Amino acid sequence: PYPGPDVDRGPRVAATYIIGCSIATVFVILRLYSRVSIGAIGADDWCMLATATANIPLTVLTSLLALNGGTRHFYYLLQDPGKAMFVTKLNWLTQAFAVFCMSVGKIAIALLIIRLLDRASRWRKWFLYFSSAWLMINCLLMITINFAQCKDVRALWNPVIKATTRCWDPSIQENFALYAGSKYSTMPFRINTAMDFFLAILPVTIVWNLKLNTLKRIGLVVLLGCGIITGIASAVKTSMLSTLSSRADITWETYSLFIWTGVEIALIIVCGCVPPLRALYTKYRGPQTTKVSSYYANSG
């Protein structure tokens, strides 16, 4: 049926990703400079660099999708079948990069917390290692299922090929999506949302036991727990899944999901880079003698 006026909201999506990617890239560069300057670069830095690197093609693909009508009503896209297939193909590709960025970005934060734990309890460290491995396995399975479900991968975006090739039962992808937390999307929304809050709250249980005055403890909690902002963005995005009642107009309905996915990834990178920047701040401010500075210096 006629969906209403042909409105193209693509430029807003492109702007969100380009601005978010630019800011995130600057933070990652500052993070690496900070770590290299004190000779403390580690696995968490490499993971965050991988996240920021994958965010660049994600931004390019999403911008191409958005600027080619990827957020218009599908009714109008179908008037140009070639463009409809092109946009659908970009949609599948962006999902893979988005899943990678969300998963590896959280792994980088988990590895950062492990470094900051230093001599803290073993169960926290092992739980973080387990969570990181779980996120990586979930990420690889999600991407594999997306592109391996049809014998000819082009069937995902080409209806002519889909009619002549063998594909898995749709329930396989649907069941894994349900496990991941979303009935309507292949992205692991609720798993990632839970990890956001977990990675933001865990440092509180460590910092609050340090022998520091209350003001300094609060400062550390705010610095290490800023990832809660990412959790809120992820939760808002997850709540929007309930609006996807019509799959026939998927390009129009997923506009908000594209926006909030871009925001979440940018926040993962920025919030994950804030704690390591403390070393850069301390370096240019001058030598510090407080226990807070010693805590960060020992953890790199």
Side-chain angles (χ1 to χ4, degrees):
Y2 177 70
D6 185 7
V7 179
D8 188 357
R9 301 171 292 178
R12 297 178 218 170
V13 174
T16 298
Y17 278 78
I18 292 172
I19 294 173
C21 182
S22 301
I23 295 174
T25 301
V26 170
F27 269 81
V28 170
I29 292 173
L30 290 174
R31 174 197 181 119
L32 293 175
Y33 176 72
S34 174
R35 286 294 176 81
V36 170
S37 67
I38 60 174
I41 196 164
D44 57 316
D45 302 304
W46 295 120
C47 283
M48 192 59 78
L49 177 61
T51 303
T53 301
N55 193 32
I56 295 174
L58 171 62
T59 299
V60 172
L61 291 172
T62 304
S63 298
L64 284 173
L65 180 149
L67 298 177
N68 279 277
T71 60
R72 294 166 59 202
H73 287 292
F74 203 65
Y75 173 90
Y76 297 104
L77 283 179
L78 287 176
Q79 296 177 13
D80 184 346
K83 177 172 285 190
M85 285 191 293
F86 176 67
V87 168
T88 305
K89 179 180 180 179
L90 290 177
N91 195 304
W92 281 102
L93 293 175
T94 57
Q95 286 188 38
F97 283 104
V99 168
F100 180 88
C101 288
M102 288 189 290
S103 300
V104 178
K106 288 175 176 59
I107 291 173
I109 296 174
L111 294 177
L112 169 64
I113 295 175
I114 290 173
R115 292 181 69 174
L116 296 178
L117 284 173
D118 195 17
R119 291 177 293 276
S121 64
R122 287 186 177 182
W123 74 264
R124 290 187 179 94
K125 288 185 177 181
W126 283 111
F127 194 80
L128 285 167
Y129 280 126
F130 171 79
S131 299
S132 299
W134 180 42
L135 277 172
M136 196 69 248
I137 292 171
N138 188 72
C139 170
L140 295 175
L141 286 175
M142 191 71 65
I143 294 174
T144 300
I145 289 176
N146 274 5
F147 294 109
Q149 58 183 302
C150 289
K151 189 173 182 180
D152 188 335
V153 69
R154 294 175 299 171
L156 294 174
W157 54 82
N158 191 323
V160 176
I161 296 177
K162 186 175 182 179
T164 59
T165 193
R166 182 187 302 175
C167 293
W168 294 352
D169 190 313
S171 64
I172 296 176
Q173 184 186 15
E174 180 183 358
N175 289 336
F176 193 82
L178 286 169
Y179 146 74
S182 167
K183 181 178 179 181
Y184 302 106
S185 173
T186 58
M187 293 184 181
F189 288 110
R190 292 179 186 171
I191 287 176
N192 283 276
T193 300
M195 283 300 299
D196 281 323
F197 286 108
F198 169 72
L199 294 175
I201 294 172
L202 182 62
V204 177
T205 66
I206 304 162
V207 171
W208 210 251
N209 292 323
L210 294 177
K211 294 181 180 180
L212 300 171
N213 63 49
T214 303
L215 185 60
K216 291 176 181 177
R217 284 203 301 265
I218 292 175
L220 275 176
V221 167
V222 172
L223 187 63
L224 296 174
C226 63
I228 197 109
I229 302 173
T230 305
I232 294 172
S234 182
V236 171
K237 181 184 64 179
T238 303
S239 69
M240 292 179 178
L241 295 174
S242 60
T243 65
L244 298 181
S245 57
S246 173
R247 302 309 289 162
D249 202 5
I250 186 63
T251 51
W252 179 265
E253 295 291 346
T254 52
Y255 165 78
S256 295
L257 290 179
F258 270 113
I259 290 288
W260 282 99
T261 297
V263 170
E264 182 187 355
I265 291 172
L267 286 174
I268 288 172
I269 297 174
V270 171
C271 292
C273 288
V274 168
L277 293 183
R278 170 74 184 185
L280 190 62
Y281 170 77
T282 302
K283 176 182 177 181
Y284 285 99
R285 186 183 178 189
Q288 302 295 305
T289 58
T290 64
K291 292 181 180 179
V292 177
S293 298
S294 299
Y295 179 73
Y296 272 93
N298 292 335
S299 60

